[in-house]
Amino acid sequence: MTTAKRIRAILVNNYSLNPDDLTPDARLDDLGIDSLGMAELLFTIEDEFSVVLASEPIDLATFADVVELIDGLLAGKSEGAMAEQNSHPAARPLVVTSDGAQLAS
Amino acid sequence: MRRVAVTGIGVVCPLGRSADEVFETARAGRSAVHKLAFPGSHRLLAPLAATVQFDAAEHFDPARLRLLDRVSHFAVVAAERAFADAACELTPAERERAGVFVGTAMGGSQSTDDAYQTLYGEQSNRIKPMQILQGMYNAPAAWIGIQHGLLGPNLTYSTACSSSGVAIGEAWLRIAHGMLDVAIAGGSEAPLSLGSLKGWEAMHTQANVDAADPATSCKPFSKNRSGMVLGEGAALVVLEPWERALARGATIHGELIGYGLSTDVGHITRPGVDGQAAAISAALASAGISADEIDAINAHGTGTQANDSVETAAIKRVFGARAVRIPISATKAIHGHLLGATGALEFVLSLLALKNNLALPTMHLQIPDPECDLDYVPNVARVGAAGRTMLSNSFAFGGTNAVLALRAA
C-alpha cells in the first residue's frame, strides 16, 4: 500500500473523514485537524511507519505535505529525521501546524 | 441574597441514567456494587466497585473520544443531561453570566495510569500526546464550558471526598450574591484504574468482600462495617435564581438554601466531631434556619469505622436529643463512594428524597452499633419521612467538611 493510502486510512478511521475529501491539496485545518489533532496524527504516523520525526519545526498544511514528509523519511532523504523508534525524548518533533500553534517536545 | 433554584439534574452514575432511574434504584435499595473483573483486578485484595454502564462511543466522535479521559466523558454527558432537563437555552449575554463548578478528587487518573504503564511498565519513551489534557484535573469543567459556550468562571475544586459538595456550595454563593445567573455544578470521578484502586487499598479504607453477597460489602453504620467501596460517575445540577426560574416557567426540583464549610486540622485523614459539627452548624446559619427545621439528613456515611461513629457524634452534637428522631440515609451502601462526585450525587438523591417525601434506606445495616445509635432508615425506604428540609453531608481526607442545606420546592 502506498504512503498516501496508509495515511488516508488513518485519517478516515481516526477522524471520521470522507475519503473523497482527502485530495492532495486538501488543507488539514479545513478537514478539522487542529494543532492537537496534528500532534496525535503525527504520533500515529510514527507508529504506522516506524519512524521518528525530527525535532525542527515542520510546516504541514495539506494532505500532500504529510505524504511528502513521510515518503522523504522513508527514502532517507529528509534531514534531521531518524528512522528508529523510542529515541531519546529530545528528538521529539517541534511542529508548526497549519493553525499556527507550536507544539514543542 | 437571592434564593437559588435547582432546575436541572444530570447523572451518569452506578444507579442509573436519569433522576427517575436513580431515585427508583435508591428507593428499592438495589446495590450497584459488584466484584470487578478486568486485567489486573486479581491483584486487588477486595476487587469491588460500583461501576457505570456507559459506552462513551455513543456520545462522542472518535477524535473527541480519544481526547477526553473517562472522567470528562462522564462530566460532559451529565452536563448535557442537566441542561436538557433544565430546558434552558442561554443567550450570548446570559452565557457571560454562566459558570461551571466541578469537583473531582482524582482527575483523569486512568489516563495518567496508562501513561505511567507505558513509561515505566513498557519502558517506552513515547507517551500519547493527549495525556496531559486527559489527566489534568480541570479538564471535565473545561469541556463542559466548551461544549455549552459558558463564558463565566470555570472552576475545579479538589478537596477529596467533599469536592462536589464544595463545587455546588461555591456556585450557590455566587448565584445567591448576584455574581452569576446560571451555574452548572457538581462533580465527576473515574477512579477505577488499577493504580488508584491499589492506592486506596493501601490506605486500609476499603471494605472486605462480603462472601455471601459482594453487593452488600459496604455497610454504613452497621457494627460489622469494614470500609468503603469505590464508585464512579458524575452528577451535575443547574442552579439559577429562583425568580429567573419562575419567570421562564422552569421545573424547580428544589431550593439550595445554605452551605457550610469547616476544616479538621488534627489529622490528614482522621475525621473530627468538632469539624463535622461546625460544618453542619455553618450550613444551618447560612440558611438562616435552626436545627429544629431539619427533617432528614443524607449522611457522608462511608462505611468506615471511623467516619460513621464520628459523624453520628457530630449529628448528636448539633441536634441534641432530637438527633434520634431525624431519619439519616447513607446511600453509599449501594452507589459506592464516588469521591469527588459523591457529594453531588448525594445532593441529587436528597433533592429527589424531598421531592418524593421519602427517606432513602441505608442498605446492608445488619448489626446495630452502640456507637451508631441514630435512625439510619435501615434497609427499607420510609414514605413521608424526608419532610421539607434536608442536609447533605460531605467530609474529606484533608479535612474539608462541606454541608449543603436544601428545601423542597
Side-chain angles (χ1 to χ4, degrees):
Chain A
M1 198 187 295
T2 65
T3 302
K5 280 186 179 172
R6 289 163 73 183
I7 294 174
R8 177 177 279 116
I10 291 171
L11 288 166
V12 168
N13 292 333
N14 290 7
Y15 299 90
S16 306
L17 297 177
N18 183 342
D20 295 340
D21 293 337
L22 296 175
T23 57
D25 58 351
R27 293 187 60 82
L28 295 168
D29 51 2
D30 290 342
L31 296 170
I33 311 285
D34 62 8
S35 56
L36 291 175
M38 181 63 80
E40 190 191 39
L41 174 63
L42 295 177
F43 184 88
T44 308
I45 284 174
E46 285 181 320
D47 278 351
E48 169 70 18
F49 293 93
S50 297
V51 297
V52 174
L53 296 172
S55 58
E56 68 263 27
I58 313 165
D59 188 9
L60 299 171
T62 66
F63 177 57
D65 289 344
V66 179
V67 174
E68 187 181 341
L69 172 76
I70 301 305
D71 272 340
L73 278 175
L74 293 174
K77 293 175 183 173
S78 180
E79 289 182 21
M82 296 178 294
E84 65 177 86
Q85 278 188 300
N86 291 339
S87 66
H88 188 276
R92 301 290 305 145
L94 179 64
V95 178
V96 176
T97 65
S98 52
D99 63 355
Q102 199 172 61
L103 299 167
S105 59
Chain B
M1 291 271 284
R2 302 191 291 185
R3 294 175 69 190
V4 177
V6 183
T7 55
I9 295 174
V11 288
V12 175
C13 80
L15 301 184
R17 290 163 296 184
S18 67
D20 288 346
E21 245 180 64
V22 163
F23 179 73
E24 181 51 34
T25 307
R27 187 199 60 75
R30 284 195 295 272
S31 176
V33 171
H34 62 90
K35 286 193 84 168
L36 288 170
F38 64 84
S41 60
H42 65 283
R43 297 169 66 184
L44 296 165
L45 295 175
L48 290 168
T51 53
V52 175
Q53 300 304 309
F54 179 78
D55 182 1
E58 291 177 4
H59 304 278
F60 299 91
D61 67 47
R64 187 58 65 90
L65 187 69
R66 293 191 302 273
L67 188 50
L68 276 63
D69 183 88
R70 186 169 174 86
V71 71
S72 295
H73 291 150
F74 288 161
V76 167
V77 173
E80 276 173 11
R81 290 174 179 170
F83 275 121
D85 182 46
C88 150
E89 293 283 328
L90 300 178
T91 65
E94 287 172 326
R95 287 194 280 112
E96 291 179 7
R97 288 180 56 80
V100 185
F101 300 78
V102 176
T104 184
M106 305 194 67
S109 60
Q110 179 70 64
S111 299
T112 305
D113 213 40
D114 289 347
Y116 289 166
Q117 171 62 18
T118 303
L119 188 62
Y120 302 124
E122 298 165 14
Q123 290 290 302
S124 170
N125 286 326
R126 304 178 77 241
I127 287 178
K128 289 178 183 172
M130 302 308 161
Q131 191 274 321
I132 295 296
L133 298 177
Q134 292 170 326
M136 65 188 196
Y137 279 53
N138 61 330
W143 282 113
I144 292 170
I146 289 167
Q147 198 81 7
H148 297 277
L150 307 178
L151 303 170
N154 188 297
L155 297 173
T156 296
Y157 299 88
S158 194
T159 60
C161 309
S162 59
S163 299
S164 52
V166 169
I168 291 171
E170 295 295 321
W172 172 78
L173 278 173
R174 283 167 177 77
I175 291 183
H177 287 284
M179 298 163 69
L180 281 181
D181 292 331
V182 176
I184 180 130
S188 189
E189 205 71 81
L192 303 180
S193 65
L194 182 60
S196 158
L197 286 160
K198 289 300 283 185
W200 284 99
E201 177 184 288
M203 295 278 294
H204 297 284
T205 55
Q206 302 300 287
N208 301 325
V209 178
D210 185 308
D213 183 0
T216 68
S217 298
C218 182
K219 308 174 194 297
F221 299 107
S222 189
K223 175 84 172 165
N224 61 342
R225 64 190 182 276
S226 61
M228 63 187 206
V229 172
L230 288 179
E232 62 172 358
L236 288 153
V237 292
V238 175
L239 304 177
E240 59 185 297
W242 191 267
E243 296 303 328
R244 181 181 191 277
L246 286 182
R248 69 181 188 88
T251 298
I252 297 176
H253 295 297
E255 181 179 3
L256 182 49
I257 60 174
Y259 163 51
L261 278 179
S262 74
T263 306
D264 295 327
V265 293
H267 192 274
I268 190 73
T269 60
R270 189 186 309 131
V273 175
D274 292 348
Q276 294 189 1
I280 293 171
S281 297
L284 297 173
S286 80
I289 61 176
S290 74
D292 289 344
E293 291 181 65
I294 295 301
D295 298 312
I297 297 173
N298 186 298
H300 188 52
T302 57
T304 63
Q305 286 289 335
N307 176 81
D308 296 357
S309 56
V310 167
E311 186 169 11
T312 297
I315 291 169
K316 287 181 183 175
R317 170 89 58 87
V318 176
F319 295 95
R322 194 173 156 268
V324 295
R325 298 200 301 276
I326 299 174
I328 298 166
S329 305
T331 51
K332 284 186 182 74
I334 57 169
H335 57 64
H337 196 329
L338 277 66
L339 303 176
T342 210
L345 177 57
E346 291 161 34
F347 176 72
V348 164
L349 287 167
S350 302
L351 281 171
L352 300 172
L354 285 176
K355 206 170 181 177
N356 294 277
N357 192 10
L358 177 147
L360 292 167
T362 297
M363 299 305 295
H364 323 139
L365 205 173
Q366 298 155 337
I367 305 173
D369 179 352
E371 288 191 27
C372 300
D373 53 356
L374 298 177
D375 174 7
Y376 306 103
V377 197
N379 303 311
V380 181
R382 196 175 303 156
V383 176
R388 295 270 308 149
T389 309
M390 280 187 71
L391 296 178
S392 182
N393 291 346
S394 295
F395 308 131
F397 284 178
T400 302
N401 303 306
V403 177
L404 299 170
L406 58 157
R407 184 174 281 155

